[in-house]
Amino acid sequence: MCWTAKSLVRGLSFSVKYYPRNNHLQALCLCSKTKPYKCHILDWSRSPYNSTVPPRRILAWRLFSCKEGTKITSITTSEVSCKDLLKSEQENWNKISRSYKTVTKRIKEKIEELHNKYTLHLESPRIRFGGNIYFEENGYIFCSKADDDKGNVHILFSTEDMGFSGAYIKRIRISPDERYLAIGLKSENSEEASCVIMKLGDVPIVEEVIPNVFSFEWATNDVLYYTSQKNLKCQNVFMTTFTTEKYTKLVYTEQDARFFVDIYCTKDRRFLTINSNSKTTSEVWLIDCRHPFKLPVLVQARTKGVIYHVEHRNNELYILTSYGEPAEYKLMKTSVASTGMANWKLVYALEEKTKLIDLEMFRDHCIMFLQKTGYLYLNVIAFVSHSVQSIQLPTWACAFELESHPEHASSTCYFQLSSPVHPPRRFAYSFKENNLIEQAAEEVPIIMNCHTTRLLAKSKDETLVPITVFHNMNSKELRRKPLLVHVYGAYGIDLNMSFKEEKLMLIEEGWILAYCHVRGGGELGLRWHKDGCQHNKLKGLYDLKACIMLLHELGFSQPKYTALTAASAGGVLAGAICNSDPELIRAMVLQAPFVDVLNTMMKTHLPLSIEEQEEWGNPLADEKCMKYIKNYCPYHNIKPQCYPSVFITAYLNDQRVPLTGILRYVQKLRKATLDHASRTRKKGNWIPNIILDIQAGGSHCDSSWEDSLNEVARHVAFLKKELQV
């Protein structure tokens, strides 16, 4: 959607997967097809920069039997240095990985086959800007004339030819007069990007390379604003000119470490907005694009607990905000001349327990994409007639991707719908015809043999928790089928339910997939998140337990065929349930898991610890908070008992989840399983596999297609071996 925080959670604006398209036609954001970047099991980072992000973008099996006499060594962090421990784990994985090689190869081949069948047909989106068409393929940015039927194109940029080998295109911004092209480039295994400025012409040339840039926008033909990023933080906004008297100056600095700053250009290109967001609070400053050298003007001073994001239409600001009761998103408006909160007037308020997924502004309409009771809806607000039309989208749809709509006066809104097991299908809503149209349906094979079930589990405090279940319609005796449970439950972020080839593969092989939308996530709106953060974190754990128990009660598998998967902050709930109720699952796969909450939050020198106090609390300043975190923290609650088998993928240079915490967790967990085995030798020496795969490549948020494919194949191979399926 076009709201400011769009660019925070999802880095790319112009991709069929995760990354947000931003506002204007000039906001061409692309993802290279040479290296399709996908996060599979890893759906969101531990902290997606900020979680004030409104819609989208404004991120048990019992124990595996080891043969008698199998020797498993356990090393504690007090005995060796972290470096030695890392080396030991890498050597251990090198030995273990050999046993997965054959199965992993077969799984990779199957996933690639599904990828070629369902994904590769999607061509790069074409964006019209003035009389030109822009698009990207294989690391190249192309341009052609809109009225050229012969297919003549010329190359504006190439990552290889321009000396940026190994980088991928994150997004681009075209200057209003099309003389300049600003390109965001990100290298593999790095959180930081650079902005490359190209001067267009008969022979495009690199004008400048600005390092460590997060977001950037053209204010005019030759004035660019950008934010700098350092150690996962964005707190400075700069302006740079490409006039005869070129210069760069600092125009804004955020002093509060809890706040993250980005910039955004309104859909009509009237204003640039400087957006400073913490996890719970927002503040926006306006830069008039007609007067780009004037100082920014404050819209509304930050008010604790109030989130707001700004668009512009007809000299009025349209404000998406949590201001007022109930504290859910509302669309409000006010005059540009009087922007203070006291002047905000309600345009539209969301119903209770409704998730605002995305929003797009047009000249005379606003489209909201909503989720209610597990189903997706499209609400069309007509500004002229003041009417609201609600359209339910196909019931199989669980995720959507709004395509870039650069023309403010466009009469059609294009978007894609998908689910974990349904490939993306393109739809269009026409304002003129007032109807929904599916585009080129014949291009995407329809998945016919998968059934979607939506359930409600009653948690400990009687709260009803949604579950989305997928299974093969031809499957019989579901109780004997393997079940893969997904959970996240943090930052107000939904579980990623877009299409994944490996999920379809599992369905075809008879697996059951269950997505547990526990508190702490955002599936039921802002309150659903609030009810699962800080002193409410245990509610997410109770929700997850209730979901798994209901699935088993209804005949969806049983504990010895049940696995749990989570990534990043989802590791908190996954690790917690392994401590509290290990008998519910047989195995667990974690990717870059946040499992050492207390120690991490007490180290304020780490990049995200201060910023994330609004999510987890501040144990250094609040003794009750410290005790509460200690009560659920996965690392601190490990004890000798029957644990599930665990496979963890971690990254050597992960800036978001410290590797030291994962190393400590793995060692402590191994020791606990060995202690339990030694005490219960007479009952059978059942010892789970605790495997740590530390990747030198890849990063917390992004992996190349090949790295991601290898990771997913290893995870599935592990699950099949542990479940013996």
Side-chain angles (χ1 to χ4, degrees):
M1 90 186 198
C2 55
W3 303 99
T4 168
K6 288 190 293 191
S7 57
L8 299 186
V9 175
R10 311 175 355 158
L12 297 176
S13 321
F14 202 69
S15 161
V16 297
K17 291 293 180 184
Y18 305 93
Y19 307 99
R21 96 243 155 285
N22 245 350
N23 49 350
H24 200 265
L25 173 54
Q26 56 117 13
L28 176 62
C29 297
L30 310 157
C31 183
S32 171
K33 283 191 171 183
T34 302
K35 298 178 180 179
Y37 278 74
K38 308 183 169 193
C39 295
H40 289 261
I41 293 178
L42 175 54
D43 291 331
W44 294 101
S45 62
R46 172 184 156 212
S47 173
Y49 295 108
N50 80 54
S51 63
T52 64
V53 184
R56 307 247 284 189
R57 29 190 176 249
I58 279 225
L59 274 194
W61 309 353
R62 304 290 285 206
L63 301 169
F64 184 73
S65 174
C66 291
K67 293 181 179 179
E68 197 69 39
T70 299
K71 184 178 180 181
I72 301 179
T73 58
S74 177
I75 307 171
T76 64
T77 52
S78 60
E79 295 172 342
V80 293
S81 68
C82 182
K83 183 178 179 180
D84 291 337
L85 190 55
L86 173 62
K87 183 179 178 181
S88 174
E89 288 294 344
Q90 289 172 326
E91 291 174 351
N92 187 47
W93 165 244
N94 288 335
K95 294 176 184 177
I96 295 172
S97 63
R98 296 168 193 159
S99 63
Y100 291 101
K101 235 174 191 178
T102 303
V103 179
T104 297
K105 182 181 178 182
R106 288 201 300 266
I107 293 170
K108 283 179 61 178
E109 291 172 351
K110 179 62 176 176
I111 293 175
E112 286 185 310
E113 178 186 332
L114 291 170
H115 176 69
N116 294 335
K117 182 177 181 180
Y118 292 111
T119 309
L120 288 185
H121 74 280
L122 295 170
E123 68 173 13
S124 296
R126 266 63 174 166
I127 289 297
R128 179 165 182 157
F129 190 89
N132 293 321
I133 299 292
Y134 295 86
F135 63 98
E136 182 270 353
E137 286 182 357
N138 301 321
Y140 288 82
I141 297 175
F142 298 95
C143 179
S144 65
K145 294 295 182 182
D147 56 359
D148 185 356
D149 297 328
K150 298 180 180 179
N152 297 316
V153 300
H154 63 277
I155 298 172
L156 301 181
F157 179 82
S158 165
T159 53
E160 295 290 335
D161 297 343
M162 293 294 182
F164 299 100
S165 179
Y168 71 94
I169 298 169
K170 184 179 178 183
R171 63 173 140 192
I172 77 170
R173 296 292 188 268
I174 306 167
S175 65
D177 62 0
E178 299 182 75
R179 286 193 300 122
Y180 290 100
L181 190 64
I183 307 165
L185 289 180
K186 191 171 183 295
S187 299
E188 290 183 24
N189 314 328
S190 172
E191 290 272 4
E192 294 168 348
S194 296
C195 180
V196 179
I197 310 299
M198 299 290 299
K199 188 173 184 178
L200 303 181
D202 294 336
V203 181
I205 60 171
V206 176
E207 181 87 1
E208 184 176 350
V209 177
I210 310 173
N212 304 324
V213 173
F214 178 75
S215 58
F216 49 89
E217 297 282 359
W218 292 101
T220 65
N221 295 332
D222 45 25
V223 177
L224 182 79
Y225 278 75
Y226 65 90
T227 59
S228 62
Q229 180 176 355
K230 184 178 180 181
N231 294 328
L232 304 182
K233 295 180 181 295
C234 272
Q235 294 185 296
N236 294 319
V237 178
F238 293 88
M239 177 190 71
T240 188
T241 66
F242 293 88
T243 59
T244 53
E245 296 182 4
K246 189 179 185 310
Y247 70 96
T248 298
K249 75 171 185 176
L250 178 68
V251 296
Y252 178 88
T253 297
E254 174 56 62
Q255 302 294 339
D256 193 326
R258 297 171 300 165
F259 285 73
F260 185 97
V261 179
D262 86 322
I263 55 175
Y264 162 73
C265 187
T266 60
K267 189 73 175 283
D268 60 3
R269 294 209 49 78
R270 170 67 188 280
F271 293 104
L272 290 187
T273 62
I274 296 175
N275 316 286
S276 189
N277 304 290
S278 76
K279 293 290 186 294
T280 62
T281 305
S282 302
E283 184 173 86
V284 179
W285 296 74
L286 297 180
I287 298 167
D288 193 330
C289 290
R290 300 172 303 179
H291 308 286
F293 302 106
K294 286 188 175 181
L295 293 175
V297 176
L298 179 64
V299 174
Q300 165 63 46
R302 62 190 63 170
T303 302
K304 186 177 181 181
V306 175
I307 301 165
Y308 76 97
H309 310 279
V310 173
E311 251 292 353
H312 177 263
R313 173 184 175 270
N314 291 353
N315 211 35
E316 290 183 313
L317 299 183
Y318 280 78
I319 301 166
L320 186 66
T321 180
S322 63
Y323 171 62
E325 292 296 332
E328 297 288 349
Y329 278 119
K330 309 163 192 70
L331 185 63
M332 308 183 85
K333 70 176 182 178
T334 188
S335 167
V336 171
S338 37
T339 63
M341 190 183 293
N343 302 304
W344 295 359
K345 296 179 181 178
L346 182 66
V347 175
Y348 183 79
L350 269 63
E351 296 177 9
E352 188 179 1
K353 295 184 178 179
T354 299
K355 166 74 174 184
L356 177 57
I357 303 173
D358 211 337
L359 183 149
E360 179 70 296
M361 288 282 288
F362 294 87
R363 184 179 61 190
D364 297 322
H365 297 83
C366 167
I367 288 190
M368 288 185 171
F369 289 86
L370 309 174
Q371 179 176 280
K372 295 186 289 186
T373 62
Y375 297 96
L376 299 182
Y377 292 81
L378 181 153
N379 277 18
V380 183
I381 302 173
F383 294 127
V384 177
S385 64
H386 305 289
S387 63
V388 179
Q389 182 182 9
S390 183
I391 301 170
Q392 182 173 348
L393 299 175
T395 56
W396 56 263
C398 299
F400 103 103
E401 179 71 30
L402 185 60
E403 295 185 6
S404 185
H405 296 88
E407 295 181 348
H408 189 46
S410 175
S411 61
T412 308
C413 177
Y414 294 96
F415 57 94
Q416 294 177 4
L417 298 177
S418 67
S419 85
V421 298
H422 291 86
R425 302 179 71 83
R426 195 169 188 244
F427 289 79
Y429 177 81
S430 170
F431 298 117
K432 290 182 179 179
E433 303 297 330
N434 193 29
N435 62 356
L436 188 66
I437 305 167
E438 185 169 1
Q439 304 283 305
E442 70 279 358
E443 293 184 8
V444 186
I446 300 175
I447 306 301
M448 300 295 293
N449 63 344
C450 183
H451 185 69
T452 304
T453 302
R454 291 171 171 86
L455 304 171
L456 291 172
K458 188 177 289 187
S459 192
K460 185 177 181 179
D461 61 359
E462 303 292 307
T463 297
L464 297 178
V465 183
I467 316 170
T468 308
V469 184
F470 303 92
H471 67 85
N472 194 309
M473 294 178 68
N474 300 322
S475 293
K476 297 180 180 179
E477 296 189 45
L478 290 175
R479 183 167 176 75
R480 302 178 66 85
K481 298 296 182 181
L483 166 65
L484 183 58
V485 177
H486 303 70
V487 70
Y488 187 74
Y491 304 113
I493 292 176
D494 306 357
L495 273 171
N496 190 321
M497 298 188 70
S498 58
F499 178 65
K500 305 288 190 302
E501 293 88 345
E502 69 273 14
K503 308 302 183 187
L504 181 56
M505 179 190 70
L506 293 177
I507 288 293
E508 291 179 346
E509 294 179 357
W511 286 61
I512 304 166
L513 306 178
Y515 291 76
C516 302
H517 310 292
V518 304
R519 281 173 285 186
E523 287 87 343
L524 296 182
L526 297 177
R527 186 172 295 278
W528 197 247
H529 168 226
K530 188 176 180 180
D531 285 349
C533 70
Q534 291 197 3
H535 61 280
N536 291 321
K537 276 295 175 185
L538 278 171
K539 290 182 180 180
L541 173 61
Y542 301 146
D543 291 354
L544 177 58
K545 179 179 178 179
C547 289
I548 296 175
M549 291 180 67
L550 178 65
L551 289 166
H552 291 161
E553 289 170 11
L554 295 178
F556 290 106
S557 195
Q558 52 187 300
K560 66 179 180 178
Y561 300 129
T562 298
L564 178 62
T565 181
S568 197
V572 175
L573 297 183
I577 202 167
C578 275
N579 289 328
S580 65
D581 299 274
E583 71 282 354
L584 291 178
I585 56 177
R586 176 75 164 92
M588 181 168 68
V589 169
L590 301 177
Q591 194 168 12
F594 189 33
V595 287
D596 192 5
V597 184
L598 185 57
N599 287 328
T600 303
M601 292 306 297
M602 292 180 71
K603 296 176 181 177
T604 55
H605 66 279
L606 295 176
L608 298 175
S609 294
I610 294 177
E611 180 183 339
E612 298 202 349
Q613 288 172 357
E614 291 178 318
E615 177 71 24
W616 308 98
N618 184 359
L620 291 174
D622 186 344
E623 187 176 349
K624 289 183 179 179
C625 174
M626 179 182 290
K627 291 180 179 178
Y628 189 81
I629 293 177
K630 195 172 183 180
N631 196 30
Y632 69 78
C633 176
Y635 172 76
H636 282 86
N637 289 281
I638 294 172
K639 57 197 173 197
Q641 62 177 351
C642 281
Y643 274 98
S645 290
V646 179
F647 188 111
I648 297 176
T649 295
Y651 303 102
L652 189 60
N653 298 310
D654 194 334
Q655 290 181 271
R656 296 178 179 275
V657 176
L659 182 59
T660 52
I662 296 176
L663 288 169
R664 281 196 298 265
Y665 175 80
V666 168
Q667 295 307 305
K668 189 174 181 181
L669 189 61
R670 280 213 193 102
K671 184 177 185 305
T673 59
L674 290 171
D675 288 348
H676 175 75
S678 65
R679 297 176 188 177
T680 58
R681 188 173 296 276
K682 293 181 181 180
K683 299 178 183 179
N685 191 23
W686 295 87
I687 305 175
N689 283 311
I690 311 297
I691 300 172
L692 176 59
D693 172 18
I694 302 171
Q695 292 293 309
S699 67
H700 192 93
C701 299
D702 295 318
S703 295
S704 68
W705 163 249
E706 190 62 30
D707 287 343
S708 183
L709 178 62
N710 287 329
E711 286 180 25
V712 171
R714 289 192 291 266
H715 294 164
V716 175
F718 167 80
L719 293 175
K720 287 187 173 186
K721 183 176 180 180
E722 295 299 315
L723 291 180
Q724 300 179 7
V725 295

